[in-house]
Amino acid sequence: QKEVEQDPGPLSVPEGAIVSLNCTYSNSAFQYFMWYRQYSRKGPELLMYTYSSGNKEDGRFTAQVDKSSKYISLFIRDSQPSDSATYLCAVNYGGATNKLIFGTGTLLAVQP
Amino acid sequence: DTEVTQTPKHLVMGMTNKKSLKCEQHMGHRAMYWYKQKAKKPPELMFVYSYEKLSINESVPSRFSPECPNSSLLNLHLHALQPEDSALYLCASSLTWDGNGQPQHFGDGTRLSIL
């Protein structure tokens, strides 16, 4: 079993839709949770970073962590064509090392 | 624009060439990373430097040689690469390596093609 599983997509939605991107993880020792956005031919850009269960909101983006279910989500409200990118979830144990475990990524296309 | 700067953006080299990739950050971060990313795959960790010392080598072939001359700079020296080494090479940095899930910040990468 992979440590982090991510819905592979691709996902295509109309402009203005609410997008839900999801990952599950297997090890309850993971403490830190991140979402990165990667545009074509660019590096991953940190979108959201959280270390607790619950919701964290930043503009149109909401990151949700449910540690009891080992489930993390990213919601995008009022999606825009500029949101078209690959979204990567990542988890981290914290503690002795800062190694990231990435999901496989979900390619999102927002159609105008 | 990212705060981690990588040069060059693109590199084409033959299998017998020697070249270097460069990464620079001025955020005061003391951990720096090299990743390799193939198309439609997540980044794979190659090396980690912590306080300018090599902390992690993820069993990377010796044709890749990292160097950290100071706390702001990270190089990756390339020699006798193979066609399968063609990929996007990403540099990242974080405040520290050893604790508390510091977020990593990535550069835009060097797209490497081996002829």
Side-chain angles (χ1 to χ4, degrees):
Chain A
Q1 184 186 9
K2 287 185 180 177
E3 292 186 279
V4 180
E5 303 266 9
Q6 183 169 0
D7 292 347
L11 195 57
S12 181
V13 301
E15 184 174 352
I18 296 174
V19 176
S20 172
L21 303 167
N22 306 296
C23 289
T24 57
Y25 60 95
S26 57
N27 192 332
S28 58
F30 289 127
Q31 299 292 326
Y32 299 90
F33 308 92
M34 282 143 275
W35 284 97
Y36 286 87
R37 176 175 64 193
Q38 188 172 20
Y39 291 115
S40 180
R41 302 187 175 279
K42 293 286 190 181
E45 172 193 4
L46 181 66
L47 266 184
M48 301 292 278
Y49 168 75
T50 185
Y51 54 85
S52 59
S53 280
N55 293 349
K56 181 177 181 179
E57 192 172 315
D58 184 359
R60 297 184 294 110
F61 298 89
T62 300
Q64 186 175 83
V65 176
D66 182 347
K67 286 189 173 182
S68 62
S69 302
K70 302 192 191 71
Y71 198 85
I72 57 177
S73 299
L74 179 70
F75 298 98
I76 307 174
R77 290 186 300 282
D78 186 25
S79 56
Q80 302 295 308
S82 58
D83 296 326
S84 299
T86 296
Y87 290 79
L88 293 153
C89 63
V91 299
N92 187 316
Y93 289 107
T97 79
N98 200 30
K99 186 171 183 177
L100 288 181
I101 313 295
F102 284 96
T104 49
T106 301
L107 178 61
L108 171 67
V110 181
Q111 307 297 334
Chain B
D1 290 342
T2 68
E3 296 182 84
V4 177
T5 304
Q6 291 188 244
T7 54
K9 292 189 186 307
H10 304 277
L11 180 62
V12 179
M13 57 188 286
M15 288 191 284
T16 58
N17 292 156
K18 286 184 180 181
K19 295 285 185 184
S20 297
L21 310 185
K22 183 177 175 180
C23 174
E24 194 166 359
Q25 59 87 15
H26 295 286
M27 295 181 282
H29 289 175
R30 304 310 299 271
M32 296 186 76
Y33 310 76
W34 282 114
Y35 286 85
K36 174 182 178 179
Q37 187 177 28
K38 300 285 269 186
K40 301 186 191 305
K41 299 287 186 183
E44 297 174 31
L45 184 64
M46 299 173 71
F47 302 103
V48 180
Y49 273 83
S50 175
Y51 293 89
E52 296 93 71
K53 288 188 174 15
L54 184 64
S55 290
I56 296 286
N57 176 340
E58 293 281 286
S59 303
V60 178
S62 60
R63 56 186 185 267
F64 295 91
S65 176
E67 178 196 20
C68 190
N70 60 55
S71 60
S72 301
L73 280 176
L74 187 66
N75 298 320
L76 186 63
H77 303 297
L78 314 173
H79 174 54
L81 295 194
Q82 304 298 307
E84 61 266 27
D85 297 323
S86 298
L88 181 67
Y89 287 85
L90 293 162
C91 175
S93 71
S94 65
L95 195 60
T96 60
W97 165 244
D98 52 354
N100 298 322
Q102 300 293 334
Q104 294 181 26
H105 300 268
F106 286 82
D108 280 337
T110 293
R111 190 160 299 278
L112 177 65
S113 297
I114 307 300
L115 300 179

